[in-house]
Amino acid sequence: VSATAFANLCWTQAWLPWLLLAWQAATAPDSRHRLAATGGLALVGALMVSLGDPFVLGAGLLALLFLSCSEALRRIREQEAGLFPLVGPPLAALLVALLLASPFLIAFRAYAPSSMRALGFNPQGVLVWSLHPAMALDLLLPGPFGDPDLEGLGGFWARATAPEKGFSLFRGLYLGPLALGLALLGALRRWPARWAMLLLLGLLALLALGGHGPLYTRLSGLPFFSSLRFPAKWILPALLPLALLAGSGVRAVQESPTGGPVRRRALALFLLLGGLLAILSLAPSTGLDGWLIGLAGEGAASLGPESLRVMRGDFVLAVGWAFIPLLLGAALVWAGGRRTPRWIALMLALLVSIDLGLANRRLAPTVPAAFYTDVPASARTLDTGPEPRGRVWVEDPWAAAVKLVPPPERLVDRFRWQRRALMGYVGAAHGLDLAFPKDTEQFAPVDYTRLRVIVESAPPREKSMLLGAAGVTH
């Protein structure tokens, strides 16, 4: 809620399931609402284009491509008629979507060539915040590397996995062994979209690895990919095929009788994941502990006994937490003979939801409502009077030799510190006309960004003159 920079990801992601549902309704051979579904597909497509996030939009187009190919192969194999609906409605929806989104596309075409983003990034800049393979532990365990919301003792310590604090991009990677076990069970069940979702999940996971995988290093120089930083963002749309696979696993349990092969398979998968957790719980007393400490990177040499104790304690605690829902899920599957299959499926889904909610509770709003309503004194000063008071220039606290407001350790206090320093989007959220705003320079015109570099590097006297020419009054 407080990370306003990620709102574009959340908004676009929210439409992704509807994109697949609209495609399914528009391309079904016996659909009685094909026209309405095609219109819905066009509307959702236009909204996703207009929201402007290429990661989720690209994943949605890949999903439609894989689903179309999978369904076409199925109909050909089973000699079913109706290949035209797989091509006609989606193409018509695409044309209408582009027409609806044309005002945004026209503005983008006019503005983008003069922006810094159009120049692209070098491969190193593109691969910043690649998802380190070790972060797969974060999918299985809740916060095994410490709390990303804290600095120092108890905070995130696996710095080598996420340079430049890239770990803050996704604090909610945890899915839990129960959800992952259900996804594995769903991957073994036959259902129409299985291979399309598995292929989509695998491709997006490879893209999210970025520089740590075999694919993205070859793509980083291409025109589309050279403008997109932070490959870790590909993991967000990958959660949809994973959720559908887990849903298929729940359906498999629901359709299977007590003691049936699917129930036995589910128990075997849960026990396999439980064994993996048991092995991980031994990490602090085995050679694996040294590998984990190595993830601290350059900071590993400075780790004292207290830091090691906290790190090992956090890791063992994360393993213990992950055990609980897995054991409860296994008990439900094993002892569910007196209950209906539908009841067991409902309890499994509820158990996963509770696990995700409790383990990811730190994803709740990190600042109180007053943060957005109490305007700082600097903003009130600029808002007084009938005429606008001009623009604001903010020295970067990180670059200053003396930090007037030292950065605090807790994230909630860090946001307040950023507001006092008028950093980043905080100033824009209060309606301040910031000069050269932090973290939005890649969307600024090239000349504007060059001027910012000149101003930042100029000595104080020349800096004041340049800021005055830029209309800065505060």
Side-chain angles (χ1 to χ4, degrees), residues 256-333:
S256 174
T258 303
V262 174
R263 296 285 183 93
R264 292 196 297 269
R265 188 182 300 163
L267 277 175
L269 285 173
F270 292 166
L271 290 175
L272 182 65
L273 288 170
L276 178 60
L277 291 177
I279 294 172
L280 289 174
S281 67
L282 301 175
S285 58
T286 63
L288 183 61
D289 186 43
W291 174 74
L292 287 172
I293 293 173
L295 297 179
E298 298 176 357
S302 61
L303 292 174
E306 181 65 15
S307 298
L308 290 175
R309 186 187 64 80
V310 172
M311 286 167 47
R312 290 164 175 162
D314 287 344
F315 190 83
V316 172
L317 188 64
V319 175
W321 178 276
F323 256 119
I324 298 173
L326 185 64
L327 291 177
L328 291 175
L332 274 174
V333 173

Side-chain angles (χ1 to χ4, degrees), residues 368-444:
F371 179 87
Y372 300 100
T373 56
D374 295 344
V375 181
S378 54
R380 289 200 301 271
T381 301
L382 293 174
D383 289 339
T384 54
E387 299 295 331
R389 298 292 298 273
R391 307 179 70 192
V392 183
W393 164 263
V394 181
E395 294 282 359
D396 190 348
W398 297 112
V402 178
K403 296 181 175 61
L404 300 179
V405 184
E409 290 192 347
R410 293 198 312 134
L411 190 69
V412 61
D413 297 324
R414 182 175 291 273
F415 279 117
R416 295 191 182 103
W417 169 69
Q418 288 181 351
R419 185 170 72 173
R420 285 197 298 269
L422 297 179
M423 291 176 62
Y425 294 97
V426 177
H430 286 284
L432 298 179
D433 188 9
L434 295 176
F436 314 118
K438 180 181 174 64
D439 205 30
T440 56
E441 71 280 358
Q442 299 305 330
F443 300 102

Side-chain angles (χ1 to χ4, degrees), residues 9 14 23 81 95 123 135-136 155 223 240 250 254 352 378 434 452 461:
L9 289 169
W23 172 88
L95 293 176
M135 295 301 285
L240 178 64
V250 173
Q254 178 181 331
V352 169
S378 54
L434 295 176
R452 175 187 176 181
R461 184 172 180 273

Side-chain angles (χ1 to χ4, degrees), residues 37-319:
T38 302
L41 184 61
L43 179 62
V44 173
L47 288 168
M48 292 182 69
V49 170
S50 303
L51 289 169
D53 178 69
F55 290 93
V56 181
L57 178 62
L61 294 176
L62 285 173
L64 296 187
L65 175 64
F66 294 157
L67 285 170
S68 299
C69 293
S70 174
E71 181 64 13
L73 290 174
R74 187 192 67 81
R75 293 183 188 182
I76 292 172
R77 184 175 60 252
E78 299 180 5
Q79 297 182 348
E80 289 186 11
L83 287 179
F84 174 77
L86 290 175
V87 180
L91 285 179
L94 176 63
L95 293 176
V96 175
L98 293 177
L99 181 64
L100 291 173
S102 58
F104 301 94
L105 295 174
I106 292 171
F108 174 80
R109 183 181 179 185
Y111 178 76
S114 64
S115 69
M116 285 293 294
R117 178 74 61 169
L119 299 179
F121 302 97
N122 58 36
Q124 184 179 1
V126 172
L127 298 176
V128 170
W129 290 0
S130 299
L131 199 66
H132 194 283
M135 295 301 285
L137 279 175
D138 233 333
L139 298 171
L140 191 66
L141 307 176
F145 305 121
D147 190 347
D149 293 348
L150 295 177
E151 295 284 337
L153 197 65
F156 186 87
W157 52 265
R159 301 284 175 172
T161 65
E164 299 188 19
K165 297 190 177 181
F167 59 87
S168 65
L169 187 63
F170 291 107
R171 292 184 175 86
L173 281 179
Y174 174 74
L175 297 170
L178 180 58
L180 293 174
L182 290 170
L184 287 172
L185 189 64
L188 297 173
R189 172 178 172 265
R190 291 173 178 251
W191 53 294
R194 174 175 61 157
W195 289 110
M197 292 299 101
L198 283 172
L199 185 59
L200 179 64
L201 177 61
L203 180 58
L204 294 178
L206 278 177
L207 290 174
L209 290 176
H212 303 297
L215 190 60
Y216 220 92
T217 50
R218 295 179 175 87
L219 298 173
S220 58
L222 299 179
F224 175 76
F225 288 92
S226 65
S227 298
L228 300 179
R229 295 185 293 174
F230 316 147
K233 291 181 181 180
W234 289 108
I235 203 68
L236 185 65
L239 296 179
L240 178 64
L242 192 63
L244 292 175
L245 287 166
S248 174
V250 173
R251 179 63 61 86
V253 173
Q254 178 181 331
E255 294 173 347
S256 174
T258 303
V262 174
R263 296 285 183 93
R264 292 196 297 269
R265 188 182 300 163
L267 277 175
L269 285 173
F270 292 166
L271 290 175
L272 182 65
L273 288 170
L276 178 60
L277 291 177
I279 294 172
L280 289 174
S281 67
L282 301 175
S285 58
T286 63
L288 183 61
D289 186 43
W291 174 74
L292 287 172
I293 293 173
L295 297 179
E298 298 176 357
S302 61
L303 292 174
E306 181 65 15
S307 298
L308 290 175
R309 186 187 64 80
V310 172
M311 286 167 47
R312 290 164 175 162
D314 287 344
F315 190 83
V316 172
L317 188 64
V319 175

